[in-house]
Amino acid sequence: MSYHVKPRKAKKLQTKFIFVSGGVISSVGKGVTTSSLAMLLQSRGYTVAPVKCDAYLNVDAGTIRPQEHGEVFVTDDKWETDQDIGNYERFLNTDLSGANYVTNGQLYQSIIQKERNFEYGGEDVEVALHVPEEIIHRLENAARKRKADFVICEIGGTVGEYQNILFIEANRIMKYRDMRDVMHIHVGYLPTPPSIGEMKSKPVQNSVKQLIASGIQPDFLIGRAEKALDDRRKETLAWTTNIPKENIIAAPNVDSIYRVPLNFDQQGLTDKILKQFGMPSKKNDLKDWKKLVSTISSVRNQKKEYKIAVVGKYFETGAYQIGDVYISVVEAIKHASWANKAKVNMTWISSMDVEKFGAKKMLEEFDGIVVPGGFGSRGTEGIIETIKYARTHKIPYLGLCYGMQLATIEFARNVAKIRNANTTEVDEKTKHAVIHIMPEQEKLLLNKEYGATMRLGAWDCSIKRGTHTEKAYIQGKWINKTGSTKISERHRHRYEFNNEYRERLEEAGLVIAGTTPDGQLVEIIELADHPYFVASQFHPEFKSRPLAPHPLFLGFMQAVVKLNK
Ligand code: GLN
């Protein structure tokens, strides 16, 4: 095997590359660190392309069980990505793409494809050389795509794992080629064992040593801990890791992840990074962000709280997983609550419990009900019961994807009196398939083509005037009172509203509040004689941002507040 030291291809771009790794424990906060850094550099007038690198061999997250992976976050350009991409979008208030998401599966897939196409021209294709090259190629591609001044590459997992070592190797090679253009930030966890009562830095020292053994001397260290690191800890860490003391940044627990960038900025992180790269601050605009964070605090201190039930099926694998499976839904509810200056108390309810104990017992105390997306038949009857409860008790309801399909079934069964109405996803032989598989999807499934084949990503939808939906989108400033009612939303589904039942359901009072521009596919349903009962085939949660909450969530929260003042 021979190593060639090739010049970096993206020279013209003048992009700076920041790698972020994690140490000691997983879920240490690399995603929030990366998002925060990206937002801070953006606030100084720079364009940033964050990239998440995941070590799994799945090409994308679409085929991974939700309980195992957490949420699958969908981009406009039809990628089923990691939930961190959602964090990046929320912090940057911008749309990202598949270029911001790299997995080992993607790397190996394209390397093997290139090899088969003889694109390596007879070279011996090596893991240790060609995989890092492919990583570098993708990071440069992400830079080019956004014309980015900075690429921030978040390396999934923790240092010391075999799986992500080639991402660290890509970092080493890039640094070797362009010393001044590459930086490494390590995020490490400092435990405070209750029996000792003192914050311990040894695990972080060891994870930095592992990095150094891999050829990376980190430039900054983010110390995640319950409390802010003190001077003593910083001194110890500095002389054991070679990281200047002033580059050791404290990341204590905070009331909201959206406060993290402000903490970093206060410790001079943004200035220090820009200085190290020799770049000026082009502006300094954190005004809106600061306002947001102060709203979050004041809402948190309110006495009155509104109870929201999120009813789904992926909840019973252990409480700690819950938030991750629907992280964008949770965030979207929070964004809308802050915009409405209303404190929300969210409760997860397993639809199996609704089946067991009945809707009244499980839902009585709630001011609003959300049913997020889902797949398969388990727990669906409990969700249908939930929806019936929301409809008949006039509790504000927001249905997302499966939450729209099951709301259609509930309406068909209980209002339009179409007995046994169902979706073919649950009952293939149902006599009344008010929701059925899209014809092109059926072919894909017969061929076992599961990966990235759903109806994915951004599709246009035309909204019907005079509906709750229209009002919400006008309030959210997505459309105006006159002119086009076209919006674009993100999708991930195989089944759809069956048009054969459209007339019958409309006659019974169901309002079709949005369709594809050709009118063919039902995208939003709602009820007229209900304070707020809106359900969409798409996933509005993927487009909700703290500084730009999503209209349908805003409308939902507004109804919750109005009814329960
Ligand atoms: N299982 C439904 C479908 O495939 C809904 C999908 C979802 O909620 N994301 O159409």
Side-chain angles (χ1 to χ4, degrees):
M1 172 171 72
S2 59
Y3 281 94
H4 308 280
V5 182
K6 297 179 206 151
R8 189 158 63 81
K9 279 171 259 149
K11 210 68 197 167
K12 278 196 307 282
L13 281 167
Q14 297 293 323
T15 306
K16 308 288 183 196
F17 292 84
I18 303 174
F19 286 82
V20 176
S21 66
V24 185
I25 56 167
S26 57
S27 310
V28 68
K30 296 181 306 284
V32 174
T33 299
T34 304
S35 308
S36 301
L37 273 178
M39 188 283 260
L40 288 170
L41 291 166
Q42 181 174 277
S43 78
R44 302 299 181 99
Y46 289 104
T47 308
V48 188
V51 179
K52 176 71 192 290
C53 293
D54 271 321
Y56 43 74
L57 281 172
N58 302 69
V59 171
D60 59 44
T63 52
I64 312 179
R65 217 176 292 120
Q67 291 95 326
E68 208 155 301
H69 177 270
E71 175 180 272
V72 174
F73 186 83
V74 181
T75 56
D76 275 350
D77 67 341
K78 310 188 190 327
W79 270 87
E80 296 173 277
T81 73
D82 183 77
Q83 63 187 51
D84 273 319
I85 313 299
N87 269 327
Y88 303 161
E89 286 200 350
R90 287 187 280 271
F91 276 72
L92 288 174
N93 197 7
T94 200
D95 295 334
L96 296 172
S97 72
N100 301 87
Y101 172 56
V102 176
T103 68
N104 267 330
Q106 292 169 31
L107 299 172
Y108 284 96
Q109 190 183 45
S110 51
I111 290 169
I112 290 168
Q113 198 54 53
K114 279 188 205 163
E115 186 276 326
R116 294 289 81 186
N117 297 345
F118 205 64
E119 284 176 44
Y120 292 107
E123 253 180 84
D124 173 6
V125 184
E126 300 279 348
V127 168
L129 177 64
H130 292 94
V131 175
E133 283 300 352
E134 184 67 30
I135 295 169
I136 295 169
H137 169 70
R138 279 164 189 261
L139 296 180
E140 289 172 348
N141 183 43
R144 249 178 252 121
K145 185 129 196 218
R146 274 180 67 75
K147 296 193 177 57
D149 302 300
F150 291 94
V151 166
I152 310 183
C153 172
E154 178 187 345
I155 302 174
T158 45
V159 299
E161 285 173 23
Y162 288 148
Q163 297 217 84
N164 57 16
I165 189 72
L166 294 171
F167 292 102
I168 293 172
E169 182 64 359
N171 177 179
R172 191 193 62 78
I173 294 170
M174 289 182 91
K175 178 108 184 172
Y176 174 74
R177 288 174 183 161
D178 293 293
M179 210 53 178
R180 282 156 306 163
D181 287 347
V182 181
M183 178 188 285
H184 191 103
I185 299 181
H186 185 61
V187 188
Y189 181 68
L190 291 92
T192 308
S195 56
I196 304 173
E198 190 195 340
M199 194 187 286
K200 293 306 211 180
S201 68
K202 193 62 66 60
V204 176
Q205 295 177 34
N206 284 332
S207 71
V208 173
K209 275 188 190 134
Q210 296 222 22
L211 263 180
I212 294 173
S214 314
I216 303 289
Q217 168 63 53
D219 302 274
F220 287 85
L221 177 66
I222 311 283
R224 269 292 291 123
E226 231 166 274
K227 300 217 173 79
L229 323 191
D230 56 358
D231 243 35
R232 181 107 175 255
R233 241 52 47 173
K234 285 188 183 174
E235 265 155 29
T236 312
L237 282 168
W239 74 264
T240 52
T241 63
N242 300 325
I243 300 170
K245 189 176 155 200
E246 61 275 14
N247 286 5
I248 298 177
I249 308 291
N253 289 353
V254 279
D255 57 348
S256 158
I257 54 169
Y258 299 116
R259 186 181 291 284
V260 174
L262 299 183
N263 273 0
F264 285 172
D265 202 55
Q266 262 164 14
Q267 295 176 72
L269 181 61
T270 331
D271 292 317
K272 288 171 191 171
I273 290 173
L274 289 173
K275 190 167 160 221
Q276 181 158 331
F277 281 131
M279 293 165 91
S281 216
K282 292 200 232 168
K283 59 174 190 176
N284 192 350
D285 186 5
L286 284 173
K287 209 172 74 238
D288 291 343
W289 202 269
K290 285 183 175 157
K291 211 169 119 197
L292 167 79
V293 172
S294 93
T295 307
I296 295 174
S297 294
S298 71
V299 167
R300 176 180 287 267
N301 291 330
Q302 284 172 13
K303 272 212 191 76
K304 165 98 187 141
E305 53 180 30
Y306 299 89
K307 291 187 154 181
I308 307 294
V310 183
V311 185
K313 63 178 257 196
Y314 299 118
F315 296 152
E316 74 283 9
T317 43
Y320 55 91
Q321 284 279 7
I322 286 171
D324 268 11
V325 179
Y326 295 116
I327 180 166
S328 294
V329 177
V330 174
E331 290 302 309
I333 293 172
K334 288 187 195 163
H335 304 159
S337 82
W338 299 325
N340 276 288
K341 301 255 188 304
K343 182 175 175 180
V344 155
N345 179 343
M346 258 180 266
T347 305
W348 307 99
I349 292 186
S350 161
S351 51
M352 264 71 79
D353 284 343
V354 178
E355 287 174 9
K356 241 192 270 166
F357 306 112
K360 184 170 182 330
K361 183 163 171 9
M362 295 306 297
L363 300 166
E364 206 166 26
E365 56 177 320
F366 292 101
D367 306 317
I369 295 173
V370 176
V371 170
F375 294 85
S377 56
R378 192 165 50 95
T380 46
E381 287 304 321
I383 295 181
I384 292 170
E385 274 306 300
T386 300
I387 297 169
K388 182 178 177 191
Y389 192 83
R391 178 176 60 77
T392 52
H393 291 76
K394 307 258 188 247
I395 301 169
Y397 172 75
L398 182 60
L400 315 167
C401 204
Y402 217 11
M404 174 271 201
Q405 298 178 352
L406 297 173
T408 306
I409 294 168
E410 192 280 317
F411 187 89
R413 286 186 192 171
N414 300 322
V415 183
K417 302 291 177 210
I418 304 175
R419 268 190 50 206
N420 301 326
N422 216 331
T423 162
T424 48
E425 183 171 0
V426 171
D427 178 5
E428 246 176 284
K429 300 210 167 63
T430 177
K431 239 168 91 194
H432 293 293
V434 292
I435 303 292
H436 65 171
I437 193 147
M438 292 185 261
E440 61 275 23
Q441 287 292 331
E442 198 159 16
K443 285 184 221 136
L444 292 166
L445 291 189
L446 282 173
N447 290 334
K448 290 200 167 19
E449 290 179 53
Y450 293 109
T453 56
M454 285 187 231
R455 179 171 178 256
L456 289 168
W459 293 90
D460 285 344
C461 164
S462 296
I463 290 166
K464 187 171 176 180
R465 294 263 179 218
T467 55
H468 287 291
T469 301
E470 184 218 13
K471 196 174 147 220
Y473 277 98
I474 290 175
Q475 261 185 3
K477 300 201 171 63
W478 281 40
I479 59 169
N480 291 321
K481 283 206 175 88
T482 55
S484 168
T485 61
K486 205 147 76 179
I487 53 159
S488 167
E489 294 277 8
R490 295 183 187 169
H491 298 69
R492 183 171 187 252
H493 64 120
R494 293 192 199 278
Y495 296 80
E496 64 173 336
F497 188 107
N498 184 351
N499 283 333
E500 274 178 38
Y501 289 89
R502 198 144 144 184
E503 235 179 74
R504 211 164 143 191
L505 294 178
E506 278 183 298
E507 268 164 24
L510 190 74
V511 178
I512 310 288
T515 63
T516 44
D518 63 6
Q520 281 310 303
L521 218 161
V522 172
E523 291 274 14
I524 310 171
I525 60 163
E526 63 170 61
L527 297 177
D529 59 345
H530 189 289
Y532 193 88
F533 188 106
V534 177
S536 64
Q537 181 55 78
F538 49 80
H539 291 270
E541 68 271 23
F542 293 145
K543 293 193 69 161
S544 182
R545 314 262 163 81
L547 295 181
H550 191 282
L552 292 185
F553 283 88
L554 279 175
F556 169 74
M557 269 315 296
Q558 212 174 41
V560 166
V561 172
K562 201 169 147 195
L563 284 169
N564 298 286
K565 267 228 151 69

